Amino acid sequence: MSIDYWIATALDKVFPDSFPPPRAAVRADLTAARGETEDFQVAIRIPKGVTVRRASWSATDLVGPRGARLSSECVEAHWEWCIHVTHEPFHRCFPENADPAHWLRRAPALFPDAFLEAPAIGIRDEWTQPLWVSVRVPHDARPGIYEGHLGLALEIRNVPIERAEIPLRVRVRPYALPARPTLRHTEWMFPSLVADYYRLERWSESHWRWIERIAADMGRHRQDMILTPFGELVEARRDRHGRMQFDFTRLDRWVRLFRAAGVDWIEGGHVGRHGGDPVFAWNRIPIRDARGRPLDVSPAALSEEAYAPLLGEFLRGVHAHLRARGWADRTVQHFGDEPSKRNFDSWKQHAARLREWLPDVSIIDAAPPEDLDGFIDIRVSQIQHFMPGWRRRANEQAWCYVCMEPQAPFPNRFLNQASIRNRIQFWLAWSLGLKGFLHWGYAYWKPHLPVAIELSPWTDSTGLSAIFEEGRGPWPPGDPHIVYPGRDSICSSLRWEVVRKGMEDHATLSLLEQAVESAGRREAAAARRGRTLLNRIRGTIAPDPRNYTRDDALLLAAREAAGHALEHLI
């Protein structure tokens, strides 16, 4: 019996049929700043005829300089689960999808992604099982080299327990990453869908416990902004004199909960929607009368013009409350998602009304790069639009996003893409001077169907759209969610950890750029080397969304060089 073990990088995807590469590493050598988390994978190849009844892992403390330690609690590991991908993404606007070079392998196939909640699993024969390992370095860790090991125990029928020790070495750099993200980051989570998935009463204590777990997970992954559905969180009533009264109990709990996790930007939910081309329409906010009975604010009962003053009063009341709480300086407000040339005029008319109601609040929306000047403050455009020559507007922040689009050859985070195409998005955000990143699919665990039907994100990565969406292309695999529902926790994924690593990359590059610009005469030579490296990254590694590097080794070498340069400047 011969069981193979080897080390894979955090950018590798280890498939069930993977075998050890030539000269595969058998020890993990990591380098991390204080306040950074570094990752690797252990691949375990089980031969034919051998079934592992139970595989588990353990970690020792890592012992460092002068007796300093990184506790074993700083080492976290998760067994990876493969998701069955049925199709490659396809969109008529991206014909290069047809090139197999853009996908790791052809669908249908299994792709590693989800992290299992169970600390121990079984492994069948002729199977390669990856274990994702993260080492978190505290902000107050002493710089130097720390050593320990990761232990594996495999229980196999009729033979002694197979044990393996993976040597683990971590060099802690002498500088710390900033505790706050250097790039605004929002991943949309819809609390009502979380309650529906777990069959919970909305806003019950059980529901709030899941929201708290989600907030902690977002904070750990350097997300600092949360989509906040005011219509669900604020109860509005008309008193007998016609004045609107508010109950902010849920909103206050929501904001405090996310702020405690480090997610302290409030992203006011959309108050407008596509109302059928060429118009946008206001979303209807629930309002009750003085006796608590729902008022009929439907389009059948109230026209757009009749309803607008009610919405304006509601929004002014909510944002006045945020100001009173001291939260207004970290609040932005959506109007309507993804306008196009067909409805720009309608979008602008509604956004102008929103500006009248909330003159001091920044308007943020996913929008194309053309038109809308003066009506939007934070323009979030799909990343493929930031090619050379894109127009930077003086009175706007430029952010990027991805969703179903763009597809090949541009970056995204689909399940069947190489991980570098996910991580490079954050290098591009730094290189292009973008201020934020947005994605709609944190945990959209709901079928994309007008009927009630069971959905398991563990087995379907497209919201069932690949099966039931007649006449439309299915959602790309992995687009609706990047985390998975556990029994007791939010389960991360390979893709979600790569996002966190990309956010740490952005922090490192930003820190290096600041250090280069503020270097004194004594650091002039180190500053020149740092500036040369940053220019090389902008010029050859992450110049634009089409011409970025696809070479894992090149990206990791540049990341190592950036850390080395910082050591000589801080």
Side-chain angles (χ1 to χ4, degrees), residues 187-190 402-403 413 438-444 478-483 495:
E187 308 264 345
W188 291 353
M189 182 274 294
F190 304 93
V402 295
C403 57
R413 63 193 203 189
L438 179 153
H439 198 286
W440 79 278
Y442 174 79
Y444 196 85
D479 188 49
H481 60 268
I482 200 165
V483 297
R495 293 176 300 133

Side-chain angles (χ1 to χ4, degrees), residues 140-196:
D140 59 355
R142 181 177 294 165
I145 294 174
Y146 293 76
E147 293 184 301
H149 70 264
L150 185 81
L152 298 171
L154 308 184
E155 297 179 15
I156 303 167
R157 186 186 298 274
N158 299 326
V159 300
I161 294 177
E162 164 99 4
R163 298 187 185 276
E165 288 191 355
I166 308 296
L168 176 54
R169 180 180 183 271
V170 180
R171 186 171 77 85
V172 177
R173 297 188 188 273
Y175 65 87
L177 290 189
R180 298 289 308 151
T182 50
L183 182 74
R184 295 282 80 78
H185 179 199
T186 179
E187 308 264 345
W188 291 353
M189 182 274 294
F190 304 93
S192 59
L193 299 188
V194 174
D196 292 348

Side-chain angles (χ1 to χ4, degrees), residues 246 248 311-323 358:
F246 302 97
F248 295 113
L311 179 60
E313 186 177 358
F314 175 86
L315 290 172
R316 285 193 297 267
V318 170
H319 284 271
H321 177 75
L322 296 176
R323 284 195 299 274
L358 306 173

Side-chain angles (χ1 to χ4, degrees), residues 270-520:
H270 299 83
V271 297
R273 69 185 191 283
H274 289 267
D277 286 340
V279 299
F280 268 82
W282 297 117
N283 283 331
R284 304 294 165 129
I285 301 295
I287 302 173
R288 296 181 178 272
D289 66 15
R291 296 183 180 181
R293 297 173 301 189
L295 295 176
D296 187 356
V297 296
S298 67
L302 290 176
S303 67
E304 284 284 286
E305 281 305 308
Y307 171 73
L310 292 176
L311 179 60
E313 186 177 358
F314 175 86
L315 290 172
R316 285 193 297 267
V318 170
H319 284 271
H321 177 75
L322 296 176
R323 284 195 299 274
R325 290 291 192 205
W327 299 332
D329 62 333
R330 288 180 177 264
T331 299
V332 296
Q333 178 64 56
H334 281 284
F335 163 60
D337 197 40
E338 295 185 327
S340 66
K341 293 179 180 179
R342 297 188 300 273
N343 50 35
F344 277 156
D345 289 343
S346 178
W347 190 97
K348 288 187 286 188
Q349 290 168 10
H350 286 78
R353 195 76 174 270
L354 182 60
R355 181 84 73 194
E356 290 176 14
W357 299 333
L358 306 173
D360 300 322
V361 180
S362 293
I363 295 176
I364 177 174
D365 265 321
E370 65 267 18
D371 210 308
L372 311 184
D373 297 52
F375 291 88
I376 190 168
D377 303 297
I378 303 173
R379 185 188 299 259
V380 189
S381 297
Q382 288 184 354
I383 198 168
Q384 76 272 21
H385 293 301
F386 294 98
M387 293 298 293
W390 70 277
R391 182 163 72 94
R392 191 185 300 275
R393 293 164 170 86
N395 298 322
E396 293 180 10
Q397 280 191 26
W399 290 28
C400 66
Y401 79 105
V402 295
C403 57
M404 295 178 65
E405 305 169 22
Q407 297 178 13
F410 301 102
N412 212 309
R413 63 193 203 189
F414 304 142
L415 274 165
N416 49 351
Q417 286 181 319
S419 289
I420 193 172
R421 295 185 184 235
N422 180 358
R423 189 165 170 177
I424 199 68
Q425 296 175 104
F426 303 92
W427 293 63
L428 287 164
W430 171 81
S431 175
L432 298 166
L434 308 180
K435 301 302 182 184
F437 175 83
L438 179 153
H439 198 286
W440 79 278
Y442 174 79
Y444 196 85
W445 303 326
K446 174 187 176 183
H448 188 53
L449 296 165
V451 295
I453 191 170
E454 294 291 330
L455 165 68
S456 172
W458 295 91
T459 57
D460 189 285
S461 61
T462 70
L464 295 177
S465 63
I467 303 172
F468 292 102
E469 287 277 58
E470 292 187 12
R472 296 183 58 184
W475 282 349
D479 188 49
H481 60 268
I482 200 165
V483 297
Y484 293 79
R487 291 177 178 172
D488 301 302
S489 63
I490 298 297
C491 296
S492 188
S493 69
L494 190 153
R495 293 176 300 133
W496 189 217
E497 298 308 313
V498 170
V499 167
R500 185 258 309 153
K501 198 66 213 170
M503 289 291 291
E504 291 179 345
D505 294 341
H506 189 281
T508 299
L509 297 173
S510 299
L511 198 62
L512 178 57
E513 189 168 40
Q514 294 168 12
V516 165
E517 295 305 319
S518 61

Side-chain angles (χ1 to χ4, degrees), residues 38-302:
E38 196 61 46
D39 316 279
F40 66 97
Q41 298 175 83
V42 179
I44 307 170
R45 179 68 189 178
I46 307 301
K48 185 176 182 178
V50 175
T51 299
V52 177
R53 301 169 61 185
R54 188 177 188 274
S56 60
W57 67 274
S58 61
T60 66
D61 288 352
L62 305 182
V63 181
R66 300 194 300 278
R69 286 176 178 264
L70 296 181
S71 164
S72 61
E73 294 181 356
C74 295
V75 182
E76 188 174 331
H78 297 277
W79 299 104
E80 297 175 30
W81 172 263
C82 286
I83 306 298
H84 185 234
V85 172
T86 59
H87 63 281
E88 283 83 30
F90 175 75
H91 193 288
R92 63 182 180 277
C93 295
F94 301 96
E96 290 176 68
N97 275 346
D99 183 351
H102 293 298
W103 315 110
L104 286 173
R105 53 179 60 185
R106 279 294 190 186
L110 293 172
F111 287 82
D113 192 51
F115 288 1
L116 292 169
E117 203 168 27
I121 63 169
I123 310 174
R124 54 156 285 183
D125 71 336
E126 296 188 281
W127 185 274
T128 300
Q129 177 61 51
L131 177 72
W132 183 278
V133 185
S134 298
V135 181
R136 177 180 54 84
V137 179
H139 272 89
D140 59 355
R142 181 177 294 165
I145 294 174
Y146 293 76
E147 293 184 301
H149 70 264
L150 185 81
L152 298 171
L154 308 184
E155 297 179 15
I156 303 167
R157 186 186 298 274
N158 299 326
V159 300
I161 294 177
E162 164 99 4
R163 298 187 185 276
E165 288 191 355
I166 308 296
L168 176 54
R169 180 180 183 271
V170 180
R171 186 171 77 85
V172 177
R173 297 188 188 273
Y175 65 87
L177 290 189
R180 298 289 308 151
T182 50
L183 182 74
R184 295 282 80 78
H185 179 199
T186 179
E187 308 264 345
W188 291 353
M189 182 274 294
F190 304 93
S192 59
L193 299 188
V194 174
D196 292 348
Y197 183 86
Y198 284 107
R199 294 182 171 85
L200 303 173
E201 179 185 349
R202 295 183 185 183
W203 311 114
S204 64
E205 287 304 311
S206 295
H207 188 199
W208 279 110
R209 282 193 290 273
W210 277 106
I211 293 172
E212 186 171 10
R213 291 165 183 156
I214 287 168
D217 179 66
M218 289 176 169
R220 283 195 298 269
H221 289 81
R222 291 188 165 248
Q223 177 171 337
D224 65 349
M225 181 178 283
I226 182 65
L227 185 69
T228 300
F230 293 138
E232 296 181 51
L233 293 165
V234 177
E235 184 175 317
R237 295 193 181 201
R238 280 293 206 187
D239 66 19
R240 59 190 181 88
H241 301 293
R243 295 185 296 255
M244 198 173 285
Q245 304 294 322
F246 302 97
D247 182 346
F248 295 113
T249 304
R250 284 180 192 160
L251 177 62
D252 287 353
R253 183 173 182 177
W254 172 278
V255 174
R256 288 178 176 131
L257 187 154
F258 278 96
R259 286 174 69 89
V263 187
D264 57 3
W265 276 85
I266 300 167
E267 183 184 1
H270 299 83
V271 297
R273 69 185 191 283
H274 289 267
D277 286 340
V279 299
F280 268 82
W282 297 117
N283 283 331
R284 304 294 165 129
I285 301 295
I287 302 173
R288 296 181 178 272
D289 66 15
R291 296 183 180 181
R293 297 173 301 189
L295 295 176
D296 187 356
V297 296
S298 67
L302 290 176

